[in-house]
Amino acid sequence: QRVGIARALVTRPALIVADEPTGALDQANGHVVFDLLTQVASAGTTVVFITHDLGLAGAADRVVSMIDGRIATVAAPVTASPVTGGVPS
């Protein structure tokens, strides 16, 4: 996954869609990937981060929840402030 993200970043895209980019990684490498994506987002790239990890979702500046393939809610997460470049504790 880290190699795939690196390849995607080489072209400096306006949009990155990351579907479970930390799913198969250990916690330390998951933090590295999450931090990298938040840095890219802070630099102006739109990052769509698909995850089942509520801790990671809680660090987003917007969370779109889906149920049965339909958008259920769109909101700022209750437990988080805007993305600051780190995984929430």
Side-chain angles (χ1 to χ4, degrees):
Q1 274 136 327
R2 290 184 297 167
V3 171
I5 291 169
R7 277 190 283 192
L9 296 176
V10 168
T11 60
R12 299 183 186 264
L15 170 68
I16 295 175
V17 178
D19 186 4
E20 295 283 356
T22 62
L25 301 176
D26 60 62
Q27 188 174 11
N29 283 309
H31 286 254
V32 169
V33 168
F34 185 80
D35 288 344
L36 176 62
L37 290 173
T38 56
Q39 289 171 16
V40 169
S42 293
T45 298
T46 299
V47 177
V48 177
F49 191 97
I50 296 105
T51 186
H52 289 90
D53 185 327
L54 297 179
L56 295 177
D61 58 357
R62 182 179 307 158
V63 174
V64 177
S65 299
M66 297 184 74
I67 298 174
D68 296 331
R70 295 178 181 220
I71 294 174
T73 61
V74 178
V78 175
T79 59
S81 58
V83 173
T84 58
V87 176
S89 303

